[in-house]
Amino acid sequence: MSTWSAWRAHFERNATRPRPLLPADLSLPADVRRPLVHTLGIFQRGEVGEGRIAQEVKRARLSGLDEDYHPALSAFILEEGRHATLLATALRSLGAAPIESSWAEAVFRHTRRAVDVRHELLVLLAAEVVAVVFYDALARGLGPSPLGSLLDNLVEDEEFHLDFHTDFFRATLPDRRRARLLFRAQWWAIGTAACGTVLVDHAATFKALGLSRRDLVRRVHATLQRVDDGVSAGPAPSYGPRHAPGPAGLEPATLGTKNRCSAS
């Protein structure tokens, strides 16, 4: 099985899973609920996928891809849409509605479309780092709870999304030192900016859940480095879905200390 046929099979298999269930009413302390609704609203909006990018990648005719990559990418976008639906359900269970737009989403989409298809996918890859690190942090901060379990479910998917896009750059970047140095410069600039924006915009949520800013920064750096290492390894004869070590490979105990939101 080729790299991209393995990814296609992975996403198509995932599409058959039942959706996790949430209680109709999630009870959380008011000082946690308010900032958490803000954060989940923005994250939910960011998960709303665009089929347009799949067509743009297909038209670009990039080397290193085959006929299975494009269906895999389309199935990935559908999986992101599943995440948007699950987060919208979570918001309604918290007594809120999904938001129509946000400044962070507008900046993200404008940045994605500013250069070319490869740049768009680089920004998408940075968004996967945001999802892997911060969904996991929210789940740990919430502690054992229906919403925490839902976020754990999303993190598992996002780990694979991170590897899927890492494989794209690993396969399509020219095997030349200059090209890989340029990738690294762009990657660290875009990834740091994306994660830094989240740390600032959602500081109230992280504080309410007792999450350490220092630990979050360390996790962001380690996950950005994981992608850098994966792409820098260069083309390989076979790769694809694999079990990931988790965000930054850090122990969950470092994520938060309160865990006072274990609603049932």
Side-chain angles (χ1 to χ4, degrees):
M1 180 176 285
S2 73
T3 295
W4 305 120
S5 62
W7 277 117
R8 179 179 182 177
H10 168 80
F11 288 123
E12 290 178 348
R13 183 170 58 251
N14 278 3
T16 65
R17 297 172 298 175
R19 291 177 181 171
L21 298 177
L22 277 177
D25 180 22
L26 290 171
S27 298
L28 294 175
D31 62 330
V32 172
R33 180 194 168 280
R34 282 191 298 270
L36 185 61
V37 162
H38 165 75
T39 292
L40 293 181
I42 290 177
F43 285 0
Q44 189 275 336
R45 187 63 195 168
E47 292 280 9
V48 177
E50 292 183 73
R52 174 189 56 81
I53 191 171
Q55 295 302 317
E56 290 182 358
V57 173
K58 194 169 187 177
R59 287 196 298 268
R61 299 181 180 276
L62 300 171
S63 62
L65 308 179
D66 62 22
E67 67 278 3
D68 284 307
Y69 173 79
H70 304 292
L73 180 61
S74 296
F76 152 78
I77 292 169
L78 290 176
E79 190 162 287
E80 293 279 78
R82 176 181 184 268
H83 291 184
T85 299
L86 292 174
L87 288 174
T89 300
L91 285 166
R92 294 187 183 99
S93 294
L94 289 167
I99 63 175
E100 294 298 323
S101 63
S102 73
W103 71 267
E105 180 224 4
V107 170
F108 172 77
R109 294 190 187 281
H110 176 75
T111 303
R112 270 181 50 190
R113 299 172 184 176
V115 185
D116 56 19
V117 167
R118 201 186 298 273
H119 180 83
E120 285 197 59
L121 287 170
L122 189 63
V123 176
L124 270 181
L125 181 52
E128 300 304 337
V129 173
V130 167
V132 165
V133 173
F134 295 108
Y135 286 170
D136 188 74
L138 294 177
R140 302 286 77 76
L142 286 164
S145 62
L147 184 52
S149 296
L150 173 66
L151 290 167
D152 279 334
N153 182 279
L154 300 188
V155 171
E156 185 176 352
D157 284 350
E158 299 293 354
E159 289 277 7
F160 283 101
H161 295 180
L162 195 69
D163 289 337
F164 176 59
H165 294 308
T166 298
D167 281 356
F168 168 86
F169 284 99
R170 191 178 178 193
T172 62
L173 274 181
D175 193 17
R176 296 195 299 270
R177 184 171 180 272
R178 181 181 177 185
R180 297 190 180 277
L181 286 175
L182 179 60
F183 167 83
R184 294 187 70 189
Q186 293 175 328
W187 170 239
W188 282 96
I190 292 171
T192 301
C195 294
T197 299
V198 173
L199 283 167
V200 172
D201 195 32
H202 303 280
T205 306
F206 303 140
K207 182 178 180 180
L209 291 173
L211 299 171
S212 163
R213 183 183 178 89
R214 178 178 297 178
D215 286 331
L216 288 170
V217 169
R218 185 167 72 246
R219 291 163 63 77
V220 163
H221 182 274
T223 308
L224 291 172
Q225 187 64 56
R226 168 181 153 191
V227 172
D228 189 349
D229 293 342
V231 174
S232 297
S238 180
Y239 38 99
R242 56 262 191 201
H243 180 69
L250 299 179
E251 292 298 322
T254 68
L255 294 176
T257 56
K258 291 185 179 179
N259 286 343
R260 56 192 186 87
C261 308
S262 53
S264 59

